[in-house]
């Protein structure tokens, strides 16, 4: 999979921090050696915003990297400019969605746990419209359509040459909740059955019979990057989303997802549950 600008920027930040810590320098000490502030270096390492490649070059020399490693990091710095299809949209994209789009554009795998609605990447347009109308009660229809357009555009990543693998664990309540009316829900369940047959989608149902489970707090997504240090967790909250990338947070959600996979139905039983629900509608 080609490495995009967001991944390059995040990889650069992780590498700069690793090199500084290996050298045993504080942010203030390292910054002083190359003439940048502690705050600027901290921003470089936290993987946000632009970087100046001459500063990266100077830092690498202070950290004692090899010439090859220094040149590689300088190239990362030169290429770390975030651009994406959503930047050309006429209407603004909410900040939390903007970050999701930049990350999702370059992931190699997404682990979804959905307790309320079908994951956005697997939704039909009619289902997505019903979800947005319900959650954004005061939005004008134009705004609803704008957000749904973005969601449908996001789904194109599933049809690119090297799509990420989507592993979705969907609570039984999701397939039984009749969103948008019976016709809309039937179409959505048929789409889930179609997607379950894709080599790039793994779909499991977490049945009511499983009882208490590891993620009763709500839906989440683990966005997997090309390297473990680039993984991010996204958690749905009212009015937006929360992104987490500290290792203890990642570990907690990764373990929770592993437990959910073990508690969920296998692939054949999950498909049969969806078929049965479709027949009952």
């Amino acid at each position: 999979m080609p490495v995009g600008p967001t991944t390059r920027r995040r990889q650069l930040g992780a590498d700069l921090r690793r090199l500084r810590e290996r050298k045993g320098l504080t942010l203030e000490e390292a910054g002083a050696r190359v003439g940048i502030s502690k705050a600027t270096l901290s921003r470089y390492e936290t993987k946000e915003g632009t970087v100046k490649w001459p500063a990266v070059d100077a830092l690498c020399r202070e950290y004692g990297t090899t010439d090859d490693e220094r040149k590689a990091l300088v190239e990362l710095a030169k290429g770390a400019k975030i651009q994406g299809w959503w930047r050309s949209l006429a209407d603004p994209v909410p900040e939390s969605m903007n970050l999701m789009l930049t990350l999702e554009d370059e992931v190699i795998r997404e682990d979804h746990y959905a307790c309320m609605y079908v994951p956005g990447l697997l939704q039909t347009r009619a289902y997505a419209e019903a979800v947005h109308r319900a959650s954004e009660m005061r939005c004008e229809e134009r705004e609803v359509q704008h957000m749904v357009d973005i969601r449908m555009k996001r789904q194109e990543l599933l049809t690119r040459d090297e799509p990420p693998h989507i592993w979705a664990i969907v609570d039984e309540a999701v397939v039984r909740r009749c969103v948008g009316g019976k016709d809309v829900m039937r179409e959505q369940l048929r789409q889930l059955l179609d997607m379950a047959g894709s080599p790039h989608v793994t779909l499991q149902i977490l049945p009511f019979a499983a009882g208490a489970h590891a993620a009763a707090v709500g839906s989440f997504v683990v966005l997997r990057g090309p390297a473990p240090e680039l993984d991010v967790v996204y958690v749905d909250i009212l009015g937006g989303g929360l992104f987490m990338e500290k290792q203890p947070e990642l570990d907690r959600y990764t373990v929770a997802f592993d437990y959910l996979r073990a508690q969920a139905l296998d692939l054949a039983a999950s498909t049969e549950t969806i078929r049965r629900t479709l027949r009952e509608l």
Side-chain angles (χ1 to χ4, degrees), residues 32-54:
R33 291 191 180 191
V34 298
I36 62 176
S37 69
K38 173 183 175 181
T40 297
L41 182 53
S42 176
R43 179 172 55 79
Y44 282 15
E45 292 185 7
T46 51
K47 315 163 191 174
E48 297 175 358
T50 58
V51 293
K52 295 181 178 179
W53 72 260

Side-chain angles (χ1 to χ4, degrees), residues 7 35 40 42 45-46 80 95 110 112 124 129 135 190 206 211 249 253 268 276:
T7 296
T40 297
S42 176
E45 292 185 7
T46 51
E95 189 58 35
E110 293 188 22
H112 291 250
T124 65
E129 288 174 351
S135 59
R190 292 189 190 101
L206 184 67
E249 298 165 339
Y253 281 91
R276 185 172 62 250

Side-chain angles (χ1 to χ4, degrees), residues 169-195:
I169 299 174
V170 177
D171 196 281
E172 185 175 349
V174 173
V175 296
R176 293 195 175 279
R177 178 173 290 106
C178 191
V179 173
K182 289 188 176 183
D183 289 342
V184 169
M185 198 63 203
R186 288 190 189 101
E187 179 189 32
Q188 179 61 72
L189 292 177
R190 292 189 190 101
Q191 172 140 315
L192 284 180
L193 290 172
D194 288 342
M195 297 303 293

Side-chain angles (χ1 to χ4, degrees), residues 53-123:
W53 72 260
V56 172
D57 184 86
L59 285 166
C60 288
R61 294 177 189 278
E62 287 295 331
Y63 296 155
T65 66
T66 65
D67 285 345
D68 286 345
E69 190 172 17
R70 175 176 56 80
K71 290 175 182 177
L73 291 180
V74 167
E75 286 304 309
L76 281 178
K78 289 180 177 179
K81 295 181 179 179
I82 299 173
Q83 295 178 334
W85 55 263
W86 55 94
R87 297 284 176 168
S88 63
L89 294 174
D91 293 326
V93 176
E95 189 58 35
S96 62
M97 178 56 67
N98 182 63
L99 182 54
M100 171 62 89
L101 294 172
T102 61
L103 295 172
E104 194 168 62
D105 202 41
E106 296 164 15
V107 296
I108 62 172
R109 173 175 153 179
E110 293 188 22
D111 294 340
H112 291 250
Y113 168 63
C115 67
M116 181 65 68
Y117 299 123
V118 170
L121 289 175
L122 307 180
Q123 291 179 4

